[in-house]
Amino acid sequence: MILSRLTLTATLTVLLLGPASAEQSAVSTANTSGAVKHHALSLIGEPKYPEDFTHFDFVNPDAPKGGVVRMPSIGGFDSLNPVLYRGEQAPGISLVNESLMVDSIDEPSTSYGLIAEWASYPDDYSSVTFKLRDNARWHDGKPITPEDVIYSLKVNKEANPRMGLYYKNVTHAEKTGDNEVTFYFDSKGNRELPMIMGQLTILPKHFWTGTDAKGERRDPMKTTMEPPLGSGPYRVKSVSPGRSITFERVKDYWGKDLPVNKGMWNFDELRFDSYRDMTVAFESFKAGNLDFWNETSSKNWAMAYDFPAIKNGNIERQEVRLERGMPMQAFVPNLRRPKFQDRRVRQALNLAFDFEWANKNLFYGQYERVDSYFQNSELAAPKALPKGRELEILETVRGEVPDEVFTKVHQNPTNNDQTEMRNNLRQAMTLLREAGWQVKDGKLTNVKTGETMTIEFLIVSPLFERIVQPYLRNLNRLGINGNIRLVDSAQYTRRLNNFDYDVVVGNFAQSESPGNEQRDYWGSEAADREGSMNLIGIKDKAIDKLIDHVIYAKDREELVAATHALDRVLLWHDYVVPQWFSPNQRIAYRSHYGRPDRLPGLTPGFLQVWWDSNANASTEPRASN
């Protein structure tokens, strides 16, 4: 499911997908017309908090307000448009606009009313109605209206191809009562649709259809550096293009006393400074110019935290255990390139990757190998042959998927010693020959076309160079000429949006209740849609059928079986070279920050629930350590 503001801003470096499909349940009350009003929606069991809850139990409701937080942003930005996929969106801009409901960062696949007071839907899930809160306001004081919501659906679908697929089954929206709006769907039985409509980013129609300070009409389909009008806990305070953006807490924020916001959004200012790469940003953190750091390098975590601020206690660090599924992170060959379309070639690429060596020599033993698109959750395909409802679903695509789906359990190759590595490379060479490639003059060459096999690894972080280099050496032993292309974030985003790459590093995060977003990841319609997340380039009718099984699952049991089937088929197509995961998030931060006794289970929640213990002393940036 697409990210909400609450989850998206956890550290602004880690993607966490929210709810998606399975059986809806909610603590609710009935209105006079017989419809059911839901203050919260859950796709897995009952929401934790009743209608009259006062605050989440992972917050300090009396947390002090104030202080300045300085965060890193890698690369620059050229747009403050909160919904457009083009351009480099400014970090933190999601804090300005809100959604109808907001995801819990402690409960998987659960959301609570934000702009909307309640949601109501019929038993067949053919529509959903939201009642907007009477006191919901834009920062200019004007009320949030059903017209704003209707306008937002149109803009979101047109401005972002991912949203176009996500809300594909939503035909239209109408004002259906006093401060009420109803979304209508073109199909029945899609249990995630009511919840994902609650995730819709709501825009002020009067702002986006108006004119700017120069008298020019605004266009939500274009990038802009004009600070947008929003309704959230923060607004843009200042912008230095290419350098930084600062947000200020809205002191009279309309929603500050809502249960979903009590004890949250405690910092007065959030500043995001741009750095060209992670190495430079980390040095700035060490020098005292940044306040929070999400460590993505196992090498750094093991070797780089011996600087003075650590030794004198000015910086603390810890590993936070996350209670959620882990993403499929992988090297992603682009199937739009003919050289990767033969499954045997992709199998050979996986055989050439030596994870065990990398984990020992590069990662200090901190990772495990990813072996599922739904890693670390009950949604991962069992390590046994399919049976029961999963097998029934797979039978609907028998003959359209690899035969091994029914006869073998998928496993990544292992390389516990050099003998295993040599055997894997020999097997890879055999597969390449079967696919029509032979080594001539030291170069892997296509027998029919004479093309030599070259692979460019497109990366945006220099940290990945040390990881790709050993992989290139193994590929070279197969006659493959591999190289690394390091680009800045703006060029990387453009090339991803246009699918202009051989191999990239993909990160396919999943929720506990997958649904419509699967179309964007693996659906045929997304393969040629600019800006989609179908980085692989999959166009497969059988996978489209399996995605529909996930989306239209009748209950949780059906969803789990359908997801097992989808996972198993994706694995046996060998679309990617799986990398690694850790269930822990590594963070470092200035020691003057306070935090609740218990952090939320899905994210450390730094921007949401932490506070500055020195807030009353000053709101000016602190001197370097």
Side-chain angles (χ1 to χ4, degrees), residues 33 36 87 98 106 110 172 174 206 215 219 275 362 393 399 405 525:
S33 65
V36 179
E98 297 180 299
D106 195 48
T110 303
H172 65 290
E174 292 180 359
H206 67 280
D219 186 349
Y275 295 87
L362 302 178
I393 293 171
V405 166
E525 187 177 345

Side-chain angles (χ1 to χ4, degrees), residues 12 57 92 170 188 221 279 299 331 415 430 483 507 509 547:
L12 291 132
D57 65 10
V170 185
K188 300 177 181 180
M221 304 301 154
T279 301
K299 179 182 179 181
F331 292 113
N415 296 287
T430 299
N483 63 84
N507 189 295
I547 291 171

Side-chain angles (χ1 to χ4, degrees), residues 87-192:
E88 285 288 296
Q89 190 181 81
I93 201 66
S94 60
L95 295 169
V96 175
N97 288 89
E98 297 180 299
S99 52
L100 295 168
M101 304 187 80
V102 64
D103 292 348
S104 168
I105 54 176
D106 195 48
E107 303 166 79
S109 302
T110 303
S111 62
Y112 293 83
L114 182 58
I115 292 176
E117 182 179 345
W118 50 259
S120 179
Y121 53 86
D123 291 341
D124 64 2
Y125 298 92
S126 59
S127 67
V128 63
T129 298
F130 293 95
K131 167 63 167 63
L132 309 187
R133 296 185 190 272
D134 294 336
N135 64 328
R137 293 288 186 273
W138 301 108
H139 293 155
D140 63 2
K142 294 184 178 181
I144 301 175
T145 67
E147 287 75 17
D148 291 321
V149 178
I150 295 168
Y151 173 78
S152 299
L153 174 65
K154 177 179 181 294
V155 171
N156 273 269
K157 291 180 73 172
E158 293 179 1
N160 192 323
R162 295 184 64 194
M163 295 298 100
L165 281 177
Y166 199 52
Y167 295 122
K168 176 182 178 181
N169 296 116
V170 185
T171 60
H172 65 290
E174 292 180 359
K175 181 178 180 180
T176 51
D178 184 21
N179 234 17
E180 293 182 13
V181 62
T182 299
F183 299 93
Y184 296 93
F185 311 141
D186 64 6
S187 60
K188 300 177 181 180
N190 188 335
R191 288 171 170 80
E192 83 161 341

Side-chain angles (χ1 to χ4, degrees), residues 159-402:
N160 192 323
R162 295 184 64 194
M163 295 298 100
L165 281 177
Y166 199 52
Y167 295 122
K168 176 182 178 181
N169 296 116
V170 185
T171 60
H172 65 290
E174 292 180 359
K175 181 178 180 180
T176 51
D178 184 21
N179 234 17
E180 293 182 13
V181 62
T182 299
F183 299 93
Y184 296 93
F185 311 141
D186 64 6
S187 60
K188 300 177 181 180
N190 188 335
R191 288 171 170 80
E192 83 161 341
L193 280 176
M195 180 173 279
I196 70 173
M197 296 318 304
Q199 294 181 327
L200 183 71
T201 299
I202 307 303
L203 303 172
K205 181 179 180 180
H206 67 280
F207 175 83
W208 286 101
T209 58
T211 57
D212 60 20
K214 297 179 180 179
E216 297 177 356
R217 185 163 295 279
R218 299 184 181 96
D219 186 349
M221 304 301 154
K222 295 181 179 179
T223 59
T224 178
M225 291 300 289
E226 179 187 18
L229 176 67
S231 63
Y234 290 90
R235 62 164 61 97
V236 176
K237 179 181 181 180
S238 61
V239 180
S240 177
R243 297 176 61 109
S244 69
I245 182 170
T246 300
F247 300 86
E248 62 180 354
R249 185 168 59 86
V250 179
K251 302 297 177 60
D252 60 349
Y253 167 44
W254 74 271
K256 61 184 175 63
D257 295 322
L258 291 177
V260 295
N261 286 322
K262 195 71 174 177
M264 304 183 74
W265 314 116
N266 301 313
F267 301 118
D268 270 356
E269 287 190 11
L270 310 175
R271 173 172 170 163
F272 296 89
D273 291 325
S274 297
Y275 295 87
R276 69 174 181 269
D277 60 49
M278 296 288 285
T279 301
V280 176
F282 184 60
E283 291 302 315
S284 188
F285 173 68
K286 290 165 58 178
N289 299 319
L290 297 170
D291 297 313
F292 181 87
W293 186 257
N294 179 60
E295 184 55 73
T296 59
S297 168
S298 56
K299 179 182 179 181
N300 280 356
W301 193 248
M303 305 292 290
Y305 284 80
D306 58 352
F307 51 93
I310 289 283
K311 295 177 180 178
N312 63 28
N314 287 336
I315 290 180
E316 299 181 17
R317 66 173 184 151
Q318 70 177 109
E319 293 190 49
V320 179
R321 183 81 176 186
L322 301 179
E323 300 170 2
R324 59 179 175 85
M326 295 292 111
M328 166 61 83
Q329 181 173 300
F331 292 113
V332 178
N334 185 358
L335 266 65
R336 302 168 186 86
R337 304 281 203 260
K339 58 190 171 187
F340 298 128
Q341 291 174 1
D342 193 304
R343 176 183 164 216
R344 292 167 294 189
V345 172
R346 303 192 300 270
Q347 289 176 312
L349 296 181
N350 196 16
L351 286 161
F353 180 59
D354 192 346
F355 165 76
E356 285 74 21
W357 181 92
N359 196 35
K360 178 182 178 180
N361 294 279
L362 302 178
F363 306 145
Y364 301 87
Q366 296 180 37
Y367 293 120
E368 299 175 44
R369 186 88 190 266
V370 178
D371 62 359
S372 168
Y373 286 82
F374 303 88
Q375 186 72 45
N376 208 41
S377 78
E378 68 169 339
L379 302 170
K383 296 305 178 185
L385 294 180
K387 62 182 180 179
R389 182 62 181 129
E390 181 196 355
L391 180 58
E392 293 175 9
I393 293 171
L394 288 170
E395 289 290 355
T396 66
V397 292
R398 185 184 282 271
E400 303 175 66
V401 299

